[in-house]
Amino acid sequence: MEAPTKWWRFKLSGRIEITPENTKLDGIHYNKTRFKEYFYFNNNFRFGHGWGGMLNANFEPTYRTLDRTYHAVYTVNGQIYKTFFGDNLQVALDFTPLGNRRKLDRQAGANKVSYKYTTPVQYVGFSLTWNFSGGKKVDVNVVDGIQDYHETKDNR
């Protein structure tokens, strides 16, 4: 998390999946390496007197795999909250004002078949959260490492 100001923290991240293809479906040979990307932009805001919020955006560009095309998906969601009683009670308004759900195209012979999730992405919700305190306090240490994985097959 980066902190450009005392009240704002953000994190920009991305991920890529690499998928090699080498298969034959319905007489068509698929032999490519496909890339699938994900992007995230998370923002946290903490103001005085228990007020805060967050505003997050996710984006997954269009990608192809085998005979399918998965069209771009994105969402913008957020939360505005107020805490009470020493941060034990949180009252929040959650919302998703903008987004695009999954659309999938598939080639079936000479025909293109499309599927689309049509449920609206827009959302407004209200939540009450009580944080119980107590229990044993522990220190958490982060450990980084590399682990090798070896697979053994029996070819009998």
Side-chain angles (χ1 to χ4, degrees), residues 12 39-43 55-59 74-77:
L12 180 62
F39 301 99
Y40 310 97
F41 186 44
N42 300 321
N43 296 278
L55 187 63
N56 304 316
N58 303 318
F59 176 62
Y74 59 87
T75 58
V76 174
N77 55 50

Side-chain angles (χ1 to χ4, degrees), residues 94-123:
D94 303 293
F95 55 92
T96 302
L98 185 63
N100 187 34
R101 297 222 186 235
R102 172 71 64 212
K103 180 183 174 192
L104 163 68
D105 293 332
R106 183 174 168 264
Q107 199 64 36
N111 301 319
K112 181 170 110 175
V113 180
S114 293
Y115 305 92
K116 185 171 183 176
Y117 295 96
T118 57
T119 305
V121 73
Q122 289 77 18
Y123 165 81

Side-chain angles (χ1 to χ4, degrees), residues 25-54:
L25 296 174
D26 293 330
I28 299 171
H29 185 241
Y30 297 94
N31 188 20
K32 290 186 177 181
T33 298
R34 303 291 184 164
F35 297 95
K36 182 177 180 185
E37 300 129 342
Y38 305 86
F39 301 99
Y40 310 97
F41 186 44
N42 300 321
N43 296 278
N44 293 307
F45 306 96
R46 271 188 92 81
F47 304 108
H49 308 294
W51 284 97
M54 64 180 128

